Amino acid sequence: MNQQELRDIEHRCIEEEQPRCQAACPIHVDVRAFMAKMASGDLSGARKVLDRTMPLPGVLARICDHPCEEVCLRESIGGPLAMGHLERTCALGTPTGGKPMCMPAKGKSVAGLGGDLSALTLAWDLAKKGYAVTLLVPGDAPGGALRDLPSDILPPEVLTESLDILGRMGVTVKTGQTLSDDLLTEVRQHFDAVYVECAGDNPLGRSRADVDPVTLAYGPEGVFCGGWPAPDGNRSVITLVADGRRAGASVDRFISGATLTTSREKEGVVATRSFTSLKGIATAARSDPDDPVAGYAPEAAKAEAARCLHCDCMECVKVCEYLKHYKGYPKLYTRQIYNNLSIVLGNHYLNRMIDSCTLCGLCTEICPEDFSMAELCLDSRRDMVKRGKMPPSAHEFALEDMAFSNGPDCALVRKEPGRDACAHLFFPGCQLAGEPDGRIPQAYAFLREKLDGGVGLALGCCGAPALWAGRQPLFEEVVAAFKAQWEALGKPRLITACSSCLSVFRQAAPEIPAVSLWEVMEAETGLPETTGFSPAAPVAVHDSCTSRHNEPLQTAVRAILAKRGVAFEELPLSGRYTECCGYGGLAGNAHPELAKAITERRAAASDKDFLATCAMCRDRLSHVGKRAYHLLDILFPGDATDDPATRPDPGFSMRHETRARLRRQLLAAVWNEQVDAKAPAGPDFVVSPEVRARMEARHILDDDVKRTLAHAETTGRKFLDRETGHFLASFTPHRVTYWVEYVMEGDVARVFTTYSHRMSVNNVGK
Amino acid sequence: MAESLVYLPQSGDWTCAGCGGPLEPKETDVTYLEGGFNITLLTCPKCNMALLPEYVAMGKMLEVEQLLEDK
Ligand code: SF4
Ligand code: SF4
Ligand code: SF4
Ligand SMILES: [Zn+2]
């Protein structure tokens, strides 16, 4: 990711766009913050918000003509926020104010011809920046048309106090001036720049058409003009202010020798891409004060300000536990991730964050601008892998699991016995193959019976773990190996039971025609005659996130349920908007606690039992205590007699063993080949459920324990605790060192604890 | 050089089951990725075997592993 790519990605997320009100305000008052303070009754806090952007806030807040109200998002649900009245109420309830902070004197001087609101604004802004400003005003005092306002709207003493503040900021006022071209010519010689205010009778005769609309520069160098009333003669107070501010910025650039024109898009009224969902927001009617001059009573002001929606987006954060967890939003994350990737020496604090997105793609569906956090995270993972910055612990376990699934103990590719042709190839996927009651033999037998042309079988992993881990070359290797086998079988149609496999193959090997088992059963074979478990109460259909864009698959699943007479309901987020179970993207490897929170959030979406079509979804849900079925539970009778929704998550070791057993079982039953179970790697052992849970959490497999036991028992390299009689032994088969505390009870070990570490410790594990 | 941290078992009366001999605290190298340091563990001097207790593996050591992985 280079700077430009970063900008492009960042730009997509509109979370930091100004809300409509603020964008429509020529001086960008932070309306949201103002409303929040007003809603809590904190008038002086609200006033501070105004003071940040407003010149002469005591004056302006009383009289602003609030164009922001015209665009307020509340329009259709109760009416726009009464920004004008609330500002006025705030100004009425707070002191006129003190002198704002001013920068040290610059030694540069600016003259303003005129004393109305635009000239006062220019003086305010430039005095703050350290310029010596002199206002030359007709009559005996500055203020211009402000002095003509009814005194209850703008009390003369408020104007006077505000002008006093200007005085304390160092602004000089010369009264009794006759504004003329001669005067302009004269002051231009004595000041570094001059502003001509064209309010009122406009004695100098310049029109808006004479000046550059962006800079307000007029003919002679260093002269700027602004502050005209609207063509129809109306005065928009805030437009006058905007002119003064724009001219002030030009003067500052001119005097400091900067370009007058670049990067001025953000000044004045701007366009905004801001998006805020109105879903679920109740109508609340606007209420104006009984007496607009006196403003709101305190409670009424609070109530009106409380109607503000605090417009921002956060749509993706609302639906994603991961995005919520890191307490920001994608625009912010993009920059943080970019910084993390750019670090050469030092800590990469965000590695774990990059690795814990489930890559589920929900954010992109939800986002009005199609921002893809998944793409950002996956690209970043690939980048980390390439530069050797991927933490080994993040994905190693899952990659080893994949290697095991695709290794000689579990993988299998065969044509249907007795058939030369292979028109279809059933690919159940490694997760379903790891389910003790996964019904793969039944499903395979069913397909063989119902489909013509020969149905082959392939056991193995599609490569999703390598894809998700950002290990692109490894992933391509897995897919290429599978493709070679597929070609050797005569390019059959692929029938997958797992939607992740389906989406992986469709993406990485589009030349392989692939379809889901559910669609085949729905449209081609019909359902099996013998039925599986039939839930009595309605179930909630959980679409897996990898089937998000596979509408035919989702439709087939529902059609199957209907045919089987299983009542079902839709989850609030389903189909295209489905949520991940927490397994996606290997999030559970990189950040188990967060992945668990993701699963729990999904489980809480309905109190109905869930119906999943992915073994991983089902197991993860069941792991957090959610009753969940797999669709195959309903289609085929299982070996287990219990309610399948209570079937526990088999866990890592059981999954390993189940895959290997499934291969042996199918070879024997279908191809009539006997394969010996591999010789045991070490003694059998027993553990308490607590220790079993610890093993799962620490990614320690039975096999790791057995090999450690075998190592200790054959070499005698172990410690003995003379108090308890326990042995403690360590073994480092590969990169990880395993420790096991145990006693031998005959041939079987009783294991009290087991733990592991990745650091290599001298004289340990050998 | 600063003295290395000492990590002894929190309970038990540990001996070497291989040779039956007593264990002695000994400084031991720990390495990972590009990092490394020394800690003191109970060791059988005869069999060259060090005992790393669970609380170290799952505590301090895990922390340091994660730190080094993010370097
Ligand atoms: S949905 Fe999320 S990513 Fe998209 S604009 Fe909103 S906050 Fe940004
Ligand atoms: S609801 Fe509030 S934040 Fe949104 S446009 Fe209106 S005033 Fe602005
Ligand atoms: S977990 Fe899913 S919704 Fe959340 S950021 Fe990642 S891809 Fe987007
Ligand atoms: Zn010894």
Side-chain angles (χ1 to χ4, degrees), chain A residues 737-755:
Chain A
T737 299
Y738 300 95
W739 288 84
V740 180
E741 186 177 331
Y742 67 101
V743 292
M744 292 304 296
E745 295 171 349
D747 289 345
V748 176
R750 174 167 300 279
V751 169
F752 302 104
T753 191
T754 162
Y755 51 98

Side-chain angles (χ1 to χ4, degrees), chain A residues 107 171-173 191 210-211 222 244 247 296 362 377-379 391 413-414 476 491 551 563 578 657 706 735:
Chain A
V171 175
T172 311
V173 176
F191 289 87
D210 297 332
V211 300
Y296 287 102
L362 176 56
C377 287
L378 185 55
D379 282 349
V413 184
R414 289 289 165 106
E476 282 161 19
K491 305 190 176 179
E551 216 190 301
K563 278 188 192 168
T578 191
E657 224 165 89
K706 286 184 183 177
R735 271 181 291 263

Side-chain angles (χ1 to χ4, degrees), chain A residues 2 70 116 125 147 171 215 241 293 304 376 412 462 512 519 527 621 629 713 758:
Chain A
N2 61 35
E70 278 161 39
D116 209 327
D125 284 2
R147 301 198 166 271
V171 175
T215 64
V241 167
V293 172
E304 175 58 19
L376 176 64
L412 180 72
C462 64
I512 303 182
E519 287 162 90
L527 305 186
L621 287 163
Y629 301 97
E713 291 302 300
R758 292 174 169 271

Side-chain angles (χ1 to χ4, degrees), chain B:
Chain B
M1 208 183 113
E3 236 166 75
S4 71
L5 291 167
V6 183
Y7 293 113
L8 304 182
Q10 284 172 319
S11 67
D13 173 17
W14 292 95
T15 60
C16 178
C19 66
L23 305 180
E24 292 164 10
K26 190 179 165 222
E27 209 167 77
T28 308
D29 290 341
V30 178
T31 51
Y32 189 52
L33 301 172
E34 272 137 53
F37 52 87
N38 292 322
I39 58 178
T40 297
L41 298 174
L42 276 191
T43 307
C44 172
K46 252 199 235 156
C47 305
N48 274 332
M49 237 185 1
L51 191 165
L52 185 86
E54 180 166 15
Y55 77 94
V56 189
M58 301 320 295
K60 194 83 217 147
M61 189 165 259
L62 189 61
E63 252 172 57
V64 178
E65 273 172 24
Q66 281 165 355
L67 230 102
L68 290 172
E69 287 197 339
D70 286 344
K71 279 275 179 219

Side-chain angles (χ1 to χ4, degrees), chain A residues 55-71:
Chain A
L56 298 91
V59 172
L60 185 53
R62 277 179 166 80
I63 59 171
C64 178
D65 50 318
H66 48 76
C68 55
E69 291 189 16
E70 278 161 39
V71 295

